[in-house]
Amino acid sequence: MKLWPAKQYIIERVKLKDKLGVCFDTCHTWDGGYNNVDNFDDVLAEFDKVIGLNRLKAIHLNDSMNDRDTHKDRHQKLGEGYLGSDALAYIINHPKLQGKPFILETPNDDDGYAKEIAWVKSINNV
């Protein structure tokens, strides 16, 4: 089962839909079966069709300890999991995500977060 139809089901039942926003989690989507590595444009297009990019308020940025479609949600440090650095860089620089806040959600200490933040800044093409 894909994640977004369930979220769409919830959104359809909310009375104040105009006040509802969602977060896109890179690990959750990957572990939930969406191919963020090879087809992120298609993933984002499906997200827009089902949920709406207008509802997207933030991105939780993390890699995954698991292969796609395992439904385990185990976050990994950036570039050290199944998503990898190239896919994460593509997501960070995607034109449709510009201006959205990216929130690190990785298993790290302060030095690890500092390295990840420096890496994100170094590959950010905007």
Side-chain angles (χ1 to χ4, degrees), residues 3-21:
L3 303 170
W4 298 329
K7 290 180 179 15
Q8 182 185 37
Y9 176 85
I10 292 167
I11 290 169
E12 288 170 354
R13 282 147 183 81
V14 172
K15 290 182 181 179
L16 300 174
K17 290 178 187 55
D18 59 318
K19 301 196 182 295
L20 187 65

Side-chain angles (χ1 to χ4, degrees), residues 23-116:
C23 178
F24 183 102
D25 188 290
T26 54
C27 175
H28 293 192
T29 53
W30 173 258
D31 285 13
Y34 294 93
N35 192 344
N36 295 348
V37 173
D38 299 314
N39 295 313
F40 187 70
D41 290 332
D42 292 342
V43 170
L44 212 52
E46 184 179 345
F47 180 92
D48 190 24
K49 180 180 173 187
V50 176
I51 302 294
L53 283 172
N54 60 316
R55 294 192 194 285
L56 181 59
K57 303 303 179 192
I59 296 91
H60 281 177
L61 186 64
N62 39 59
D63 212 322
S64 176
M65 291 182 180
N66 302 298
D67 205 351
R68 188 166 60 95
D69 207 18
T70 56
H71 299 274
K72 291 190 178 184
D73 183 29
R74 303 292 185 270
H75 296 180
Q76 180 58 285
K77 296 174 184 174
L78 299 183
E80 295 184 18
Y82 281 85
L83 288 164
S85 298
D86 290 343
L88 292 169
Y90 187 80
I91 292 168
I92 290 165
N93 288 297
H94 199 283
K96 292 186 177 179
L97 301 181
Q98 297 312 298
K100 305 285 185 194
F102 282 77
I103 302 163
L104 282 176
E105 225 187 16
T106 55
N108 247 320
D109 56 18
D110 287 346
D111 289 338
Y113 288 127
K115 288 177 187 174
E116 288 184 337

